[in-house]
Amino acid sequence: MNFATDENLLRGGADVTPSARACLGVGAAGCALAGLGLGAAAGDVRTALFAAIKVPLLIAFVAGLCLPSFFVVNTVLGLRDDFRAACRGLLAAQATLGIALGAQAPMLVFLGASVLDPYLLTLCDAVQFGAATWAAQRVLARHYAPLLARDARHRHALRGWLVLFAFTGVQVAWVLRPFRGTEGFPVQFLRPEAFEQNAYVVLLDHCLRLLR
Amino acid sequence: MIATDPTPADRSLLATLDRVLRGNFTRREALATGRIDLPVGRLIGLCLLLGAIYGICLGSYSAFNGTGHAWLQTLASALKVPLLFVLTLLVSFPSLYVFAALQRLPLDFRNTLKLMLLAVLVDLTVIASLGPVFAFFAASSTSYAFLLLLNVAIFALGGVLGLAVLRRATRDVFTPVPPGKALEPAAPVEPGATPPVLPPALSLPAPSSRTAHQAADQARRLLAAWCVVYGVVGAQMGWLLRPFLGNPGAPFEWFRAREDNFLVAVLRTIGNLFGR
């Protein structure tokens, strides 16, 4: 990882944002490191490699799916002139997400090796991802501050992006599972039922079962 | 911007779409002339294209789920989404125009139609931009009920943004620019040349007697009437033209038999999702 780029992203604002290429590189490396950490605890190098591919893929794919509508919403709201700056902010936030996830890689390995209950482990992973998302939000807020000062409508575009990113991200993550290998199951890139289930419907099923 | 002839680059469909999304045609100064300088044909062409793109994304559900006649369903959806918007406008526009005239909207029949088409175009652009998201969910999910509701949500979101454009435009059109105010020139004005002056708007009441508050109030009333008429017709039209997705458990059909209505169907689908 390029530490000068990391420092600029974590400490600086919009004025010292590294180049798009540097952000992409740092973000992808961090996500891949987190993937390695997730898969490493399974003790199979293939699981670690698959996860190292899938975590950056997850972030990049979701961003790719959500960008067209972000562009349209920005244009419709009359914010097109700031679109480049908004994208820079989003890219910096994604790179920060990668850095934060990469920094948590040792913890991901540790948790994978020490927590036996799969549900608790999933909860721990969710907390780690939540923390990384919070870090990304801090950087995004810094980048968006001058944009919001210029035009309050940026808030609507940003909220729309966050909602759509989270909504789509949950399903993409569901499709790309498993990130950690499951004991008793063969090593696989995607589960056989990857394209047959919907994360929200499964979640709803679980909730309804709890209520019954 | 409105007073100059578009360059060849401005005439391309993408350039037109870009200018529509940026609101170039619905600016206060542009609307105060009482006309929208955009050919109806190009607006309709763009609507058909974007509707077809989203229709293909809708039809992809059949393709991803291995349904028989997947290509037919994709074709049907690609045809029916633009048809839904065109027919809805066709059915509701006369009533919409009557409401507009009653509220003394300073646009004639043709330009009111253009304004509606602009809003529909924004709506369809938002929907088409969410097409990849829908296609991804279609590829990764088999839940018919979920995808139906996702489709309704995407249509609703497009509708809200289209409405926002219409709201801004109607508010601006009711607040006329003071007579004689010079237009913002699209290109730098030659030294010594006179900037173009707004032509008088269509039979407007005296501008001095109208305030921004009154204009907003008038626009709100008009928009509320438009929303009810267009929304009800659109929802029911969508219901008549179904299926857009193609139920994997049923054979392909261009149109289904008439039954119930849109609202009952949405409530039933929500019930199905929760009653699993």
Side-chain angles (χ1 to χ4, degrees), chain A residues 80 171 196-198 212, chain B residues 18 21 140 142 146 274 276:
Chain A
R80 182 67 173 279
Q171 178 65 11
E196 289 167 14
Q197 284 183 330
N198 180 300
R212 276 173 198 153
Chain B
D18 187 53
L21 293 179
S140 62
T142 50
F146 178 86
F274 280 85
R276 291 165 59 84

Side-chain angles (χ1 to χ4, degrees), chain A residues 61 65 68-69 72-73 75-76 80-81 164 167-168 171-172 175 194-198 200-201 204-205 208 212, chain B residues 18 21-23 122 125-126 129-130 132-133 136-137 139-143 146 150 161 165 168 273-276:
Chain A
F61 188 62
L65 279 178
S69 50
V72 169
V73 167
T75 311
V76 171
R80 182 67 173 279
D81 294 339
L164 187 65
F167 177 72
T168 314
Q171 178 65 11
V172 176
V175 169
F195 289 95
E196 289 167 14
Q197 284 183 330
N198 180 300
Y200 296 99
V201 176
L204 192 64
D205 269 347
L208 290 174
R212 276 173 198 153
Chain B
D18 187 53
L21 293 179
R22 283 170 182 264
V122 171
T125 312
V126 173
S129 74
L130 287 166
V133 173
F136 167 71
F137 274 90
S140 62
S141 172
T142 50
S143 173
F146 178 86
L150 180 63
L161 278 170
V165 168
R168 198 172 50 206
L273 199 60
F274 280 85
R276 291 165 59 84

Side-chain angles (χ1 to χ4, degrees), chain B residues 69-158:
Chain B
H69 304 296
W71 68 271
L72 251 179
Q73 183 59 53
T74 307
L75 176 70
S77 303
L79 292 174
K80 284 199 278 187
V81 173
L83 199 64
L84 164 66
F85 283 86
V86 171
L87 288 179
T88 302
L89 199 57
L90 206 67
V91 170
S92 59
F93 184 69
S95 317
L96 300 179
Y97 181 70
V98 169
F99 283 116
L102 283 172
Q103 288 292 324
R104 305 175 83 183
L105 183 82
L107 294 177
D108 62 10
F109 187 84
R110 193 177 174 76
N111 284 293
T112 307
L113 176 65
K114 284 183 186 176
L115 182 62
M116 296 302 299
L117 278 170
L118 282 173
V120 168
L121 185 55
V122 171
D123 184 346
L124 277 167
T125 312
V126 173
I127 286 173
S129 74
L130 287 166
V133 173
F134 184 90
F136 167 71
F137 274 90
S140 62
S141 172
T142 50
S143 173
Y144 180 62
F146 178 86
L147 286 164
L148 270 182
L149 291 177
L150 180 63
N151 181 38
V152 171
I154 287 176
F155 268 82
L157 191 65

